[in-house]
Amino acid sequence: MKNIFILLISLCIAASAKAITRITCIGASITHGATLPDPASQSFPGQLQKLLGKNYQVSNFGVSGTTLLRKGNSPYWDTPAYQQALKSNPDIVFIDLGGNDSKLINRAHYDEFESDYHALISSFRQLPSHPRIVLLLAMPSFEKDTTGIYDPVIVNQINPRIRQVAYDEKLEVLDMHSPLINHEDWTPDKIHPNVQGSAIAAKKLYDVVVQPRDTGFDIFKAIKEPYKTDSFYGYPCATFTVDGRERKVVKPKWAAKDHPWIWRARFWGHEPQTDIALLERGFHVVYSDVAELLGNDEAITRWNNFYKILHNGGLGQKAVLEGMSRGGIYIYNWAAVNPTKVACVYADNALLDLQFWSDSTLLKKDFNLTSVHQLGALKASPLDKVAQIVSGGYPMLHLSADDDEALDPSKNTLLFEQKVKALKGSITVIHKPGFKHHPHSMPNPAPIVDFILKATGYEIIASQ
């Protein structure tokens, strides 16, 4: 009896030990927590530990000044911390290297950056624990010294290479640059984030650790036409043609539960911050070219057909619609016909009244008019369809540049807002004082992304 009791105790201890998820963070000074009063608790790995709680063990193997490049001025490869990280038996590995590689002294070796990164990944992939490996883009630097950790080099040289490695290795990649780009005040020495900046980084890692994942779903199987695959900022993008019109589907490295998706109406790849952030959270991004059909019946039919393919292929019933500029016409005209298929809307300096479209010849062609004066009676604009749009019950977010020279906000977004509110619809307008029609979006898309995650039920609130 005593032996059975001891065996049960041993099994319980083993089960308890197995329940701990081990997370290894490797990187340089930002990972270590340089300049923070208490790096152990205030660094992003330290704050991640607090967020995750007792069922996780987060280990910080950051070493200040180190590079990913093996020929860099201070290679991470040569540190005892690297060997300790390999011996940590991790379930998850976060790699945050690249910032120091942007220094002038290291730029001569960029042709080896990707091969060195592949080798580093391989060293962890070969571990018996077969960890989940997540690459982190380098955070922004506000330093003006072009020979040091210089942000233009991070943006144009380092981070694109990290994205390419993530694409080649089929690994997750997290954009740590955009969430801090508008917070220079959180980097007192222009390089290292303070407690608030580290908290933003920790929360981003926390979200991808705890969010349920569907790693077996593959939307590409629903594509019947021949397609080519390339990288969309590190994510697989399938491009194919139907009736002479291009279609694109980008899949995340893993799908969120119920397979959510965002449908970009126009200007593929322009200001993609929101799309990228949602891909990180398991959303798909899709596009169906209906350029210059201006939301007419043909455009709606083409979108209806594409919707059937995607939804029958496993994507969720409701799509997030994204419309920049005249993309607003496309998303809302489709939504007016399909109100039960919309999860929420993100519109950006949107054209909402076709009478302000300058190409009268195209208008007449698209809507079979003999005169543009017939347009008003046709009621072909979202401003004419507010009742149908509001009937869907979904929330809408609009970005509006107050000095938009291309589309007068008072005759588009602000008038639309008034009409939606008059019918008790849900609409939020974020004003951009001093901005013109361009640029769209925001360098840090957090307000847009947070709106979409909340509207679709994928917002994660940390318990601690």
Side-chain angles (χ1 to χ4, degrees), residues 114-134:
E114 291 181 32
S115 60
D116 284 353
Y117 215 138
H118 286 300
L120 182 67
I121 290 166
S122 179
S123 68
F124 283 96
R125 269 195 159 144
Q126 294 174 14
L127 295 177
S129 59
H130 302 294
R132 172 187 177 187
I133 301 172
V134 183

Side-chain angles (χ1 to χ4, degrees), residues 206-327:
Y206 170 84
D207 289 347
V208 300
V209 169
V210 303
Q211 183 173 343
R213 299 178 298 147
D214 182 350
T215 58
F217 177 67
D218 185 1
I219 188 59
F220 286 4
K221 293 179 180 178
I223 302 172
K224 304 306 180 185
E225 295 81 4
Y227 62 87
K228 65 177 182 179
T229 308
D230 58 7
S231 174
F232 179 80
Y233 296 93
Y235 293 86
C237 174
T239 302
F240 54 102
T241 301
V242 177
D243 297 331
R245 294 272 183 167
E246 190 173 73
R247 291 179 175 177
K248 292 179 179 289
V249 178
V250 186
K251 63 180 179 180
K253 301 303 171 70
W254 46 266
K257 181 183 177 183
D258 299 326
H259 310 155
W261 48 303
I262 181 167
W263 193 334
R264 177 177 275 251
R266 197 71 173 79
F267 311 112
W268 176 254
H270 177 66
E271 299 291 346
Q273 302 91 291
T274 296
D275 299 340
I276 293 168
L278 292 174
L279 282 163
E280 293 174 356
R281 294 292 300 273
F283 280 63
H284 292 71
V285 180
V286 311
Y287 171 80
S288 178
D289 174 27
V290 287
E292 314 321 352
L293 294 177
L294 300 179
N296 67 2
D297 289 343
E298 181 183 349
I300 292 171
T301 298
R302 287 180 177 273
W303 271 35
N304 284 342
N305 293 336
F306 194 37
Y307 173 89
K308 289 178 183 177
I309 293 170
L310 297 172
H311 181 49
N312 291 342
L315 294 191
Q317 178 189 349
K318 296 187 176 184
V320 177
L321 301 182
E322 176 183 21
M324 295 180 178
S325 193
R326 58 185 178 272

Side-chain angles (χ1 to χ4, degrees), residues 223-454:
I223 302 172
K224 304 306 180 185
E225 295 81 4
Y227 62 87
K228 65 177 182 179
T229 308
D230 58 7
S231 174
F232 179 80
Y233 296 93
Y235 293 86
C237 174
T239 302
F240 54 102
T241 301
V242 177
D243 297 331
R245 294 272 183 167
E246 190 173 73
R247 291 179 175 177
K248 292 179 179 289
V249 178
V250 186
K251 63 180 179 180
K253 301 303 171 70
W254 46 266
K257 181 183 177 183
D258 299 326
H259 310 155
W261 48 303
I262 181 167
W263 193 334
R264 177 177 275 251
R266 197 71 173 79
F267 311 112
W268 176 254
H270 177 66
E271 299 291 346
Q273 302 91 291
T274 296
D275 299 340
I276 293 168
L278 292 174
L279 282 163
E280 293 174 356
R281 294 292 300 273
F283 280 63
H284 292 71
V285 180
V286 311
Y287 171 80
S288 178
D289 174 27
V290 287
E292 314 321 352
L293 294 177
L294 300 179
N296 67 2
D297 289 343
E298 181 183 349
I300 292 171
T301 298
R302 287 180 177 273
W303 271 35
N304 284 342
N305 293 336
F306 194 37
Y307 173 89
K308 289 178 183 177
I309 293 170
L310 297 172
H311 181 49
N312 291 342
L315 294 191
Q317 178 189 349
K318 296 187 176 184
V320 177
L321 301 182
E322 176 183 21
M324 295 180 178
S325 193
R326 58 185 178 272
I329 294 287
Y330 298 91
I331 59 174
Y332 277 123
N333 278 6
W334 188 80
V337 178
N338 298 279
T340 63
K341 298 174 183 176
V342 181
C344 64
V345 166
Y346 156 49
D348 197 310
N349 293 339
L351 173 64
L352 300 169
D353 191 338
L354 283 169
Q355 70 172 313
F356 299 114
W357 180 249
S358 58
D359 190 340
S360 59
T361 301
L362 183 62
L363 271 175
K364 289 189 287 186
K365 176 178 178 292
D366 283 346
F367 293 95
N368 298 314
L369 307 175
T370 57
S371 169
V372 291
H373 298 297
Q374 298 172 297
L375 189 63
L378 190 63
K379 297 192 178 302
S381 300
L383 277 170
D384 302 316
K385 304 177 181 182
V386 175
Q388 298 98 304
I389 291 166
V390 169
S391 72
Y394 47 81
M396 294 164 267
L397 174 69
H398 280 242
L399 265 60
S400 180
D402 289 351
D403 296 335
D404 191 334
E405 79 291 0
L407 296 171
D408 185 342
S410 68
K411 297 176 180 178
N412 288 275
T413 296
L414 303 186
L415 181 56
F416 183 76
E417 177 189 23
Q418 292 173 14
K419 291 191 172 189
V420 169
K421 287 184 174 179
L423 294 177
K424 309 300 182 184
S426 174
I427 185 169
T428 300
V429 176
I430 297 178
H431 291 266
K432 297 169 67 176
F435 279 82
K436 294 186 178 296
H437 191 66
H438 291 283
H440 291 287
S441 189
M442 300 173 170
N444 177 0
I448 305 166
V449 175
D450 291 346
F451 164 82
I452 293 171
L453 293 176
K454 183 176 181 179

